[in-house]
Amino acid sequence: MTTTAAWPDARALRTAADTAARHAAEADTGGRLADATVRALAAAGFTAGFAPAGQGGAGAGFTRMTDAVAAIGEGCTSAAWIASLWAYNGRFSAYLPEEGQREVWAKGPDTRLVSSMVAAGVEAEPVDGGWRLSGSWLYVSGVEFADWALVSSAPPREGDRSIRVFAVPRDSFTYRETWSTLGMRATGSHTLVVEEAFVPEYRSFLWDDMRQGNLPAANSGHDGADGSHTRPNSGTTSAADAGSFSRPASASLSGTPSGSAPGPLSGAESGSLSGTDAVSAVHSAPLFAVNGLTFAAPILGAARQALRLVEQHLAQQPSGARAAARESHRIALARAAGEIDAAALLLARVADTADRGLLREDGVAVRSHRDSTLAVELLVGAVDRLFRVTGTRGQATSHAMQRIWRDVHGAGSHAALQFEPAALAYTQRLVAA
């Protein structure tokens, strides 16, 4: 399958965005996406977006995916989060051996995958033909309506070739309702539980291969670096270790010239990939170079909606203290709009670079990680600025602004979006050079 203009279908995407927006308040209050929203997201093709080509994948690229997720995020940040994770978890499934891919996607491209690398007390015992798996995994967004789960044998550690990822079907896991938070309430990021499930060898791969972007064709050794089965370490991890982005305020990412993003690009970035090369670039992207896009895209959509709400707020004739602050509020609006545009441009370069298959160029992966996290800092700051402009009105439980503010702060706290580790990795390379 090749990357084509067919994904996403504009009408299905608009229906999904409208449905998510219509049910956003209800989802926030109830802590669960409406069934209509879940169906609309699936109909819009998010599950198939990054699925392996041989299993009905839609051949989406990072730029189009980011645009689509952000469009959902303008109406409901939690719905966009689920849509994005469906797509990126489908990308993870490409690291399974072919037989495992066929089994996971047997019901078709509408298969809903969830994942968690936040392993808590996991036992993966080698047995004849595979592993006997038991344990629990935290923060599994969308587990309530999942068909399959991808879970790790232990909390990931860079370079550790003993850590595996297992594909587990819905009839082999349950979940405990443990998600009750200030923001992102409707993601349903509960705790997944597996008890004594057999996982055949072909439904597993090395986490480090996914980290590096080594697909089975390039690295078929899935029994560990020494060729033997391993019993992974059991362990727990903190919430900080758990595992959108679209157009600038007035334009889509796909319409943004790559040269408009700040910073020089290497000479190789003047070219582009297409067809099967583009699909391969999506599946072979190193994890941390693109992981930020997964979680930044919903935030970008939410920030755009916050900007729109403040535009409407300021269009009303002010009175009293609000009248005195009118100019400062307009300046705050302009600054926030610029911050949102700047974030979108940073993320546009990350997506475009990944779509072109250039993440293995010297320094590009760490720059992409830096850009994604910096973009989120800009977006969170912009939403804070806009929230203050709406004053007491924006804090009313009936007002969408307070929900957006909570969601953006909740999403922005994700471990993959923290600027400090990304900055240190980037500067370490510069100092070493």
Side-chain angles (χ1 to χ4, degrees):
M1 177 168 293
T2 60
T3 302
T4 70
W7 198 96
D9 176 85
R11 180 175 297 179
L13 179 61
R14 176 44 53 197
T15 297
D18 290 345
T19 303
R22 188 165 59 252
H23 293 283
E26 166 198 342
D28 179 64
T29 302
R32 190 182 192 280
L33 292 184
D35 290 342
T37 299
V38 174
R39 290 193 299 270
L41 294 176
F46 285 101
T47 54
F50 287 157
Q55 311 307 324
F62 290 107
T63 299
R64 285 180 179 169
M65 181 59 67
T66 299
D67 272 338
V69 170
I72 302 296
E74 293 185 22
C76 178
T77 324
S78 290
W81 191 268
I82 296 300
S84 190
L85 283 170
W86 276 355
Y88 281 85
N89 290 334
R91 190 181 87 87
F92 295 165
S93 75
Y95 292 89
L96 287 166
E98 183 69 24
E99 186 177 358
Q101 292 183 28
R102 288 198 300 270
E103 187 169 334
V104 167
W105 294 97
K107 85 166 195 176
D110 290 340
T111 300
R112 303 166 185 175
L113 273 68
V114 296
S115 70
S116 175
M117 306 298 124
V118 191
V122 174
E123 290 284 340
E125 180 183 0
V127 295
D128 187 29
W131 292 266
R132 183 176 294 111
L133 182 67
S134 296
S136 58
W137 291 262
L138 310 181
Y139 313 123
V140 187
S141 300
V143 66
E144 297 158 297
F145 35 80
D147 296 314
W148 284 81
L150 298 172
V151 294
S152 67
S153 58
R157 296 177 293 273
E158 184 171 337
D160 190 334
R161 301 286 292 176
S162 72
I163 298 174
R164 306 196 66 86
V165 177
F166 302 104
V168 183
R170 182 64 185 86
D171 59 8
S172 294
F173 66 80
T174 58
Y175 67 90
R176 297 195 303 267
E177 294 191 5
T178 54
W179 184 250
S180 180
T181 57
L182 180 67
M184 303 299 288
R185 293 173 175 173
T187 61
S189 303
H190 300 302
T191 298
L192 183 148
V193 179
V194 174
E195 295 182 4
E196 299 287 319
F198 173 69
V199 181
E201 190 172 353
Y202 62 81
R203 278 206 263 117
S204 178
F205 60 87
L206 290 175
W207 178 84
D208 197 57
D209 282 344
M210 183 170 69
R211 179 185 71 84
Q212 297 183 67
N214 294 331
L215 289 165
N219 184 357
S220 59
H222 67 180
D223 284 331
D226 60 356
S228 63
H229 292 298
T230 59
R231 183 181 181 121
N233 296 326
S234 299
T236 60
T237 190
S238 67
D241 292 324
S244 88
F245 134 161
S246 109
R247 60 196 185 285
S250 58
S252 71
L253 284 181
S254 56
T256 302
S258 60
S260 66
L265 304 181
S266 69
E269 292 183 65
S270 61
S272 63
L273 300 177
S274 61
T276 56
D277 287 337
V279 174
S280 177
V282 165
H283 292 131
S284 63
L287 178 62
F288 290 110
V290 296
N291 207 25
L293 295 178
T294 314
F295 308 108
I299 299 174
L300 181 57
R304 290 203 175 109
Q305 179 62 13
L307 190 69
R308 188 173 296 115
L309 290 174
V310 170
E311 289 171 355
Q312 296 169 359
H313 178 80
L314 294 181
Q316 302 173 21
Q317 189 64 32
S319 60
R322 288 181 61 233
R326 187 176 188 182
E327 287 192 359
S328 64
H329 286 171
R330 288 183 173 183
I331 292 170
L333 174 66
R335 187 180 297 277
E339 289 169 333
I340 294 169
D341 279 356
L345 288 169
L346 285 169
L347 293 172
R349 182 168 68 174
V350 176
D352 181 66
T353 300
D355 282 337
R356 293 168 181 262
L358 299 168
L359 290 173
R360 297 184 189 276
E361 296 282 327
D362 186 35
V364 172
V366 291
R367 185 192 69 186
S368 292
H369 189 196
R370 178 207 67 185
D371 286 354
S372 294
T373 58
L374 180 57
V376 169
E377 280 203 351
L378 289 169
L379 292 170
V380 173
V383 170
D384 277 344
R385 196 182 310 281
L386 295 168
F387 186 49
R388 288 194 296 271
V389 170
T390 59
T392 305
R393 293 185 182 184
Q395 297 176 40
T397 55
S398 59
H399 202 292
M401 182 58 97
Q402 54 81 25
R403 184 182 71 247
I404 291 172
W405 183 85
R406 289 187 287 105
D407 284 348
V408 164
H409 276 271
S413 69
H414 194 284
L417 301 178
Q418 302 314 298
F419 179 70
E420 288 78 6
L424 290 173
Y426 177 76
T427 53
Q428 181 181 13
R429 173 184 168 275
L430 292 180
V431 171

